[in-house]
Amino acid sequence: MNTGSILILPGDGIGPEVMAEVRRIIDWYGDKRGLSFEVSEDLVGGAAYDVHGKPLADETMEKAQGVDAVLLGAVGGPKYDDLDFSVKPERGLLRLRKEMDLFANLRPAQCFDALADFSSLKREVVAGLDIMIVRELTSGVYFGEPRGIFEENGERVGINTQRYTESEIARVARSAFELARKRGNKVCSMEKANVMESGILWREVVQKVHDAEYPDVELSHMYADAGGMQLTRWPKQFDVIVTDNLFGDLLSDVAAMLTGSLGMLPSASLGAPMENGRPKALYEPVHGSAPDITGQGKANPIACILSFAMALRYSFDQGGEADRLEAAVEKVLADGLRTADLLGEDGVQPVSTSEMGTAILAALDASL
Ligand code: NAD
């Protein structure tokens, strides 16, 4: 049975290294679990620029629009730093997000027990943490007009505009409520309704969508600054947090870092449902191309592997198999395996990228 289609875009730097481990895991699911994915691979970022003179070829964009899930490694690197802004590697990623209209950015903050001491917070505050931040990604102050630097009364003034329509708020609220139903059934919406009109509208629309369509989900509202404090004080009070583009940018970074290394953090960006009912979707680790460790076998593949676990859950409706993969990651960490980014001071020898991949495959085998 064809489980669905995946476009793999490894990108630059450590992108291809971590993605190689994901490919082995995709193959494992084909061999051992009967999930047969139709997998294709293409170029993005600097790798695409080297071949096509732009960071995302039109044919690649077209392919991305036609698959169930895009898996991306990372883009960028010093080799491309001096390129014109319009062809920088990051533009390839931005084009994907924009043209696929990926308005809901999902950033989980999950603390694996074995790494609880890695957090800057106390073990009891973070152990067992499992929250999801849903950030609106295609509107708000990063896109609103007017914007720019203007002359006014003999001095310059910098302007950005926070702007949200009701439909933009409603669709990201729906994403959050849908997710909550598959998790702890709780949503906390964060804005600044005390000082911003866009925040007042945000709160009203989220409440309206809740009352009309998701009355079974527990909804609360919090000012985003208080939300930041609560996230570091007692993060386990939250299940799903939904917030706008700017606050989500900040709060998701804060929440993610509660759990330790950049090499552990997955993400998903979802758009509207396609004809087959699956959302447009892009899955990628939060980290970049890590030029300082590229080609040395030091990259932690777990962020990319957990991004594939999110694809199993949100694009392919394989929640049980996503749990299996997350449990395999948890098992190798509990067994003490660490890539170099996860090392403490206790003299543990690091494993390489592919050794970590092999150990996760062995844990998957053991789960059968
Ligand atoms: P980075 O995330 O690439 O690296 C930051 C630090 O974390 C580095 O020390 C790196 O070695 C380490 N690190 C990152 N991922 C790791 C992993 N999987 N395993 C072990 N260690 C890991 O951020 P940066 O150094 O600011 O940026 C490097 C390049 O990546 C730049 O060109 C930047 O524009 C680009 N970038 C791309 C993305 C993306 O593709 N989504 C995101 C951020 C940065």
Side-chain angles (χ1 to χ4, degrees):
M1 187 193 72
N2 184 356
T3 311
S5 52
I6 298 177
L7 173 63
I8 293 188
L9 301 174
D12 308 320
I14 61 167
E17 299 172 37
V18 294
M19 198 58 86
E21 302 312 310
V22 173
R23 283 210 82 138
R24 293 166 76 197
I25 285 170
I26 293 174
D27 290 345
W28 185 90
Y29 274 101
D31 293 345
K32 304 284 173 70
R33 303 299 300 156
L35 302 186
S36 69
F37 295 103
E38 196 184 303
V39 182
S40 55
E41 189 166 323
D42 214 323
L43 303 171
V44 70
Y49 176 82
D50 288 341
V51 174
H52 302 295
K54 50 183 173 177
L56 189 77
D58 295 344
E59 310 83 73
T60 316
M61 187 65 240
E62 226 168 277
K63 272 192 220 167
Q65 295 283 19
V67 293
D68 294 316
V70 178
L71 302 185
L72 187 136
V75 295
K79 181 177 162 194
Y80 308 104
D81 280 352
D82 296 331
L83 288 181
D84 185 73
F85 185 70
S86 63
V87 290
K88 272 195 185 296
E90 291 73 11
R91 304 300 300 175
L93 178 52
L94 292 178
R95 181 174 177 199
L96 282 165
R97 287 181 184 156
K98 184 164 189 291
E99 294 191 20
M100 291 169 76
D101 198 12
L102 304 172
F103 57 82
N105 183 223
L106 278 50
R107 292 271 302 265
Q110 198 176 2
C111 187
F112 290 98
D113 212 38
L115 297 183
D117 293 323
F118 220 79
S119 171
S120 53
L121 299 187
K122 291 193 204 85
R123 166 173 272 276
E124 66 265 26
V125 177
V126 293
L129 178 71
D130 180 9
I131 62 181
M132 176 75 81
I133 301 214
V134 180
R135 164 190 171 194
E136 200 289 326
L137 198 61
T138 51
S139 186
V141 73
Y142 292 163
F143 295 94
E145 298 282 348
R147 61 183 298 165
I149 300 175
F150 305 96
E151 282 287 323
E152 205 178 276
N153 302 327
E155 63 174 346
R156 291 186 304 159
V157 50
I159 297 180
N160 291 92
T161 303
Q162 168 84 328
R163 183 178 190 280
Y164 272 108
T165 64
E166 286 183 287
S167 55
E168 286 169 341
I169 301 167
R171 66 183 185 172
V172 75
R174 283 191 191 96
S175 297
F177 289 126
E178 292 288 340
L179 275 170
R181 276 184 176 162
K182 293 183 183 161
R183 299 171 40 95
N185 216 35
K186 262 189 354 187
V187 170
C188 180
S189 170
M190 295 187 186
E191 28 53 24
K192 291 278 288 176
N194 48 343
V195 285
M196 295 169 76
E197 285 74 9
S198 57
I200 295 174
L201 186 70
W202 182 281
R203 187 175 283 221
E204 277 177 19
V205 172
V206 172
Q207 187 68 49
K208 201 165 125 193
V209 169
H210 168 268
D211 296 350
E213 300 169 44
Y214 302 93
D216 53 302
V217 180
E218 191 185 318
L219 171 66
S220 59
H221 302 274
M222 205 177 269
Y223 298 137
D225 49 344
M229 279 194 267
Q230 291 300 329
L231 265 175
T232 47
R233 191 187 69 84
W234 191 243
K236 285 186 237 178
Q237 69 187 282
F238 298 112
D239 175 27
V240 174
I241 291 172
V242 62
T243 188
D244 73 15
N245 202 341
L246 174 63
F247 297 140
D249 198 0
L250 309 182
L251 293 171
S252 63
D253 270 16
V254 170
M257 272 301 122
L258 299 177
T259 69
S261 165
L262 206 46
M264 294 291 299
L265 301 172
S267 79
S269 301
L270 305 182
M274 300 184 287
E275 263 172 31
N276 64 8
R278 292 173 172 171
K280 287 243 164 107
L282 171 76
Y283 299 88
E284 56 179 324
V286 169
H287 63 72
S289 59
D292 54 334
I293 56 165
T294 296
Q296 301 169 33
K298 286 186 184 166
N300 184 348
I302 292 179
C304 204
I305 289 170
L306 292 177
S307 300
F308 174 62
M310 291 183 84
L312 285 172
R313 183 172 287 122
Y314 299 122
S315 284
F316 301 110
D317 222 5
Q318 296 285 340
E321 297 300 339
D323 289 345
R324 180 193 299 280
L325 183 50
E326 287 165 358
V329 169
E330 174 111 59
K331 163 99 175 44
V332 299
L333 294 172
D335 288 348
L337 259 76
R338 301 282 185 269
T339 41
D341 56 308
L342 300 178
L343 285 188
E345 317 245 294
D346 46 11
V348 175
Q349 280 300 308
V351 298
S352 68
T353 309
S354 62
E355 283 166 339
M356 182 56 94
T358 301
I360 292 170
L361 286 169
L364 282 172
D365 274 335
S367 76
L368 295 176

